[in-house]
Amino acid sequence: MTPSTTRNTTTVVRPFATPVPLGFLGLAGGALVVSALQLGWIPAHERHAVALVMLAYAFPLQLIAALLGFRCRDTAFGTAMAVLATSWLVQSALLGDGPPAEVRHTLGLFLLMTAAALLVPLAAAGRGKLVASAVIGMAAVRLSLAGIHQFTQSAAWEDAAGGTGLALGALALYAAAAFAVEDTQGRPVLPVGRCGSGARDVEEGAEPGVRPLL
């Protein structure tokens, strides 16, 4: 008879730091620069430089955050960051040489579509993280206003989009700081509106790469 063999299986869990601060910092930088352009704080002839900021700063940071978000099993955050990352890429490509009249309808439709796409991760996030959901929701509002401006070419809609972008940038900076401090300290320090299972995980000291909600 063949003696029975007992096999011991070892499972190694590798925790990940939360990618939320990285993604929100990318969003804040892109939103603030674009808003400054919309509000006239940046001259129109520097539009190409704004497109470079979208391409070289906002896009890669949010893309990395999206990939890490999926790795951490946060589908809502990863989806939102992926949608926003590719939106910066498309906008930079369309606006890099200035906004020709024949492109504004395409850009307007794309911005409205992107805003609608953000409703998917927003609905999936639920009430678990109110501040993070507020950032995604405000990003959708800003994209909607910018899309309407592309169709109407109304200065009022452009100012509304710019003002919303400034508020979005400030909120994203706060959220990035709050999640970064929480992840470093291992406990909530600044309010982020986390509730339900996510709040219990943080209180119990679960690792960022293991808990179901970032």
Side-chain angles (χ1 to χ4, degrees):
M1 298 179 60
T2 303
S4 61
T5 303
T6 302
R7 294 183 179 179
N8 296 325
T9 302
T10 303
T11 301
V12 178
V13 178
R14 178 178 300 175
F16 288 88
T18 174
V20 174
L22 182 65
F24 284 169
L25 287 175
L27 175 60
L32 289 173
V33 172
V34 172
S35 295
L37 178 66
Q38 292 170 325
L39 295 172
W41 299 353
I42 295 178
H45 65 268
E46 295 186 20
R47 188 176 299 270
H48 181 68
V50 174
L52 287 178
V53 173
M54 296 182 191
L55 179 63
Y57 179 80
F59 167 67
L61 289 189
Q62 293 208 276
L63 179 61
I64 294 171
L67 296 176
L68 292 176
F70 287 121
R71 181 79 176 185
C72 294
R73 297 184 299 171
D74 193 328
T75 304
F77 175 79
T79 301
M81 291 300 102
V83 169
L84 288 169
T86 52
S87 76
W88 294 122
L89 184 62
V90 172
Q91 290 178 75
S92 66
L94 292 178
L95 298 179
D97 296 324
E102 61 269 18
V103 171
R104 65 184 179 88
H105 291 96
T106 300
L107 179 58
L109 182 61
F110 172 75
L111 293 174
L112 292 174
M113 182 277 296
T114 304
L118 286 179
L119 298 179
V120 175
L122 188 61
R127 301 178 180 178
K129 295 169 291 185
L130 298 182
V131 171
S133 296
V135 172
I136 297 173
M138 189 172 292
V141 172
R142 188 197 74 81
L143 289 167
S144 298
L145 295 173
I148 295 174
H149 162 66
Q150 291 297 324
F151 279 107
T152 64
Q153 294 296 292
S154 168
W157 286 108
E158 186 175 27
D159 290 342
T164 303
L166 293 180
L168 170 62
L171 181 59
L173 285 173
Y174 170 81
F179 281 103
V181 172
E182 178 185 286
D183 199 63
T184 302
Q185 299 291 329
R187 59 183 177 85
V189 177
L190 299 173
V192 295
R194 181 184 275 111
C195 57
S197 60
R200 290 193 299 272
D201 289 335
V202 172
E203 291 174 358
E204 295 170 0
E207 292 290 350
V210 178
R211 59 177 180 250
L213 294 176
L214 296 175

